[in-house]
């Protein structure tokens, strides 16, 4: 670089240029850390993995398996069938029974056993109310669990003709389809709950159909449990007939409908 002339007549030599790398290091700038960014990315990936459809389905399977194991270990149905805590009575005992009934049905305890217990513990009228309330509660819990944890993962698997036909029937005609499934005891209670949850059926029609459709069969079992001490009484024999006839009709209807489902 040429020398510059000063006012006094002399010459001043310009300082040598500073390298660009030194300027870059000399100028302070914002300090960034790679570790927090990597940690945030890892946390986001873990969150997506935990909330994925298959992870939620695995959680549902674990919950149901834990419930079934708890029933096998603690045997809560024995409490329902053999007696009730003496400090409870009347409506309070019926409410607690209904809550325990609902949880037991989610854990795959057979409903006929619970219905018989309701009749033996509370008699016909209060027993029917407690059993129907427990039925609706258990169905609602199972439906919500299946809808939140299993629907998104299981819907892509509905590829078979029979499965697609059943899904379409529940999605388009949910109320009457579930009402028929509850009236004719050919479909297991838990299977109907989770099939409805995987379909596009709404929760309110599902609960209404469950409440209405479960009354006849539930009442028959409750009355049979209440009159079990008198097996030759007319009420007990009528209850047995009300249990057997719908079961037979359900078998006949399912046998006739199988061709219709396969043809769709």
């Amino acid at each position: 670089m040429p020398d510059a002339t000063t006012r006094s007549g002399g010459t001043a030599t310009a300082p040598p240029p500073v390298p660009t790398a030194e300027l870059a290091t000399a100028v302070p700038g914002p300090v960034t850390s790679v570790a927090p960014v990597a940690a945030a990315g890892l946390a986001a990936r873990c969150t997506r993995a935990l909330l994925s459809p298959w992870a939620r389905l695995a959680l549902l399977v674990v919950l149901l398996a834990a419930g079934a194991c708890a029933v096998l270990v603690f045997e809560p149905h024995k409490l329902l069938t053999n007696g009730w805590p003496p400090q409870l009575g009347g409506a309070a005992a019926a409410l607690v029974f209904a809550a325990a009934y609902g949880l037991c049905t989610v854990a795959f305890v057979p409903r006929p056993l619970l219905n018989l217990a309701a009749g033996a513990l509370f008699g016909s009228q209060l027993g029917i109310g407690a059993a129907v309330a427990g039925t609706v509660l258990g169905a609602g819990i199972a439906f919500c669990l299946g809808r939140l944890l299993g629907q998104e993962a299981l819907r892509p698997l509905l590829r078979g003709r029979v499965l697609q036909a059943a899904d379409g029937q529940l999605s388009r005609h949910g109320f009457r389809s579930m009402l028929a499934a509850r009236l004719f005891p050919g479909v297991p209670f838990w299977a109907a709950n989770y099939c409805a949850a995987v379909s596009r059926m709404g929760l309110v029609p599902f609960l209404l159909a469950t409440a209405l459709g479960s009354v006849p069969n539930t009442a028959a079992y409750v009355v049979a449990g209440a009159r079990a001490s008198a097996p030759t009484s007319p009420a007990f024999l009528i209850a047995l007939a009300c249990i057997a006839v719908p079961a037979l009709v359900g078998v006949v209807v399912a046998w006739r409908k199988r061709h219709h489902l396969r043809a769709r």
Side-chain angles (χ1 to χ4, degrees), residues 197-214:
V198 174
S199 72
R200 293 187 174 90
M201 182 180 182
L203 176 61
V204 174
F206 170 79
L207 294 179
L208 290 176
T210 298
L212 295 176
S214 299

Side-chain angles (χ1 to χ4, degrees), residues 51-53 56 146-156:
L51 296 179
S52 65
R56 284 180 286 162
R147 178 61 57 88
L148 294 176
L149 300 179
Q151 185 191 43
E152 192 173 351
L154 293 177
R155 281 203 65 82

